[in-house]
Amino acid sequence: MDAIKILFAEDDVNLGKVLTTYLTGKGFSISHATNGEIAYEMFCTGTFDICIIDVMMPLMDGFTLAQEIRKRDKKIPIIFLTAKNLQEDMIKGLSIGGDDYITKPFAIDVLLARIQALLRRTISQEEKSDTVELGSIIFDKKRQVLIIKGEEKRITTREAQLLEMLVDKKNDILERGYALKKIWGDDSFYNARNMDVYITKLRKYFKSEPQIQIINVHGTGFKFVM
């Protein structure tokens, strides 16, 4: 089983080293950024299972970083770390998409317990949502199957990955570069042309559903409109 990947944004170098060493020892894969801008670049070019974000950071604060992450990923768990114990800060952090909020100083095993609890919740939700109804068509994500008028149509792994990303961003823009890096690993011209082919194939699968469209957003990406 692959290690759980954590994006860890913390400008305190000493705390960063301590937590990175501890969590690595617990079997996690840690990417540590010392400011918000670096953390955002890491998120855009990598793949992560959970984010741990310090609120007070240079260049881009933790709340802003979380808001930018939420524009790209609505589901990834986010834990805020902060030296402030103010109720309004806690409310703000949770209202902009944070899943948990830990004030400093904290026991390191408490952080581990919070991480594990969030991951259990996330995995449980994913297990419950293996299928999604798209009009009269059922998309079985785990089996990579579309059920169209009672008949199963098996789709490729790339098609399933792309469709899942489009559905997750339903009625919102899926950025071309983001999708390419997440699915193909880079946004080269060759991979971009491949993705266009898959988009065309997905449109054909949904041609029986007039209320569903996969539209081009010029210069930006695609939108799954339902």
Side-chain angles (χ1 to χ4, degrees):
M1 183 176 179
D2 293 338
I4 297 295
K5 296 179 181 179
I6 298 177
L7 175 61
F8 177 36
E10 169 61 66
D11 65 321
D12 184 324
V13 176
N14 291 330
L15 178 60
K17 288 180 179 178
V18 169
L19 289 182
T20 297
T21 300
Y22 175 80
L23 293 173
T24 300
K26 294 295 182 180
F28 296 97
S29 174
I30 312 299
S31 296
H32 177 213
T34 53
N35 67 60
E37 286 190 354
I38 293 175
Y40 184 62
E41 290 175 5
M42 286 181 173
F43 183 81
C44 291
T45 57
T47 302
F48 298 96
D49 300 295
I50 190 168
C51 299
I52 302 173
I53 300 174
D54 181 45
V55 172
M56 301 298 292
M57 289 188 295
L59 301 182
M60 182 189 292
D61 66 83
F63 289 151
T64 303
L65 172 60
Q67 288 174 312
E68 293 302 312
I69 286 174
R70 276 286 173 258
K71 291 177 183 177
R72 290 180 169 269
D73 192 322
K74 305 293 186 185
K75 296 182 179 180
I76 190 167
I78 296 176
I79 298 176
F80 285 116
L81 304 179
T82 181
K84 293 184 177 181
N85 193 20
L86 300 176
Q87 186 175 359
E88 55 264 35
D89 283 335
M90 296 177 68
I91 292 171
K92 180 178 180 180
L94 297 174
S95 67
I96 63 175
D99 297 281
D100 208 343
Y101 197 99
I102 302 177
T103 55
K104 300 175 182 178
F106 55 85
I108 198 166
D109 55 345
V110 169
L111 174 61
L112 176 62
R114 299 284 187 90
I115 292 170
Q116 291 171 333
L118 273 177
L119 290 173
R120 282 195 300 270
R121 189 191 314 164
T122 303
I123 291 169
S124 176
Q125 290 172 346
E126 288 176 349
E127 288 175 345
K128 291 178 182 177
S129 58
D130 281 340
T131 62
V132 59
E133 293 184 9
L134 305 171
S136 65
I137 296 174
I138 297 174
F139 175 31
D140 188 327
K141 294 183 282 187
K142 190 171 184 179
R143 295 171 56 224
Q144 297 180 8
V145 164
L146 293 175
I147 303 174
I148 306 171
K149 296 180 179 179
E151 295 186 5
E152 291 192 355
K153 170 67 178 179
R154 186 167 297 279
I155 60 178
T156 68
T157 298
R158 291 280 196 250
E159 289 171 342
Q161 290 174 320
L162 185 54
L163 179 56
E164 185 169 355
M165 292 184 76
L166 285 164
V167 171
D168 285 344
K169 299 281 286 186
K170 184 174 63 177
N171 297 324
D172 199 358
I173 296 173
L174 174 64
E175 295 180 12
R176 173 183 285 269
Y178 176 72
L180 284 167
K181 289 175 182 177
K182 284 287 186 180
I183 298 175
W184 279 271
D186 66 69
D187 56 356
S188 69
F189 178 82
Y190 175 77
N191 287 336
R193 297 287 73 79
N194 276 341
M195 185 165 69
D196 289 338
V197 171
Y198 287 120
I199 289 289
T200 299
K201 292 176 72 176
L202 289 176
R203 286 186 179 125
K204 290 180 180 178
Y205 299 147
F206 287 94
K207 65 183 180 181
S208 64
E209 293 292 322
Q211 75 273 32
I212 294 177
Q213 291 182 297
I214 302 173
I215 63 174
N216 290 332
V217 181
H218 183 67
T220 305
F222 306 96
K223 184 184 289 189
F224 188 90
V225 179
M226 184 173 171

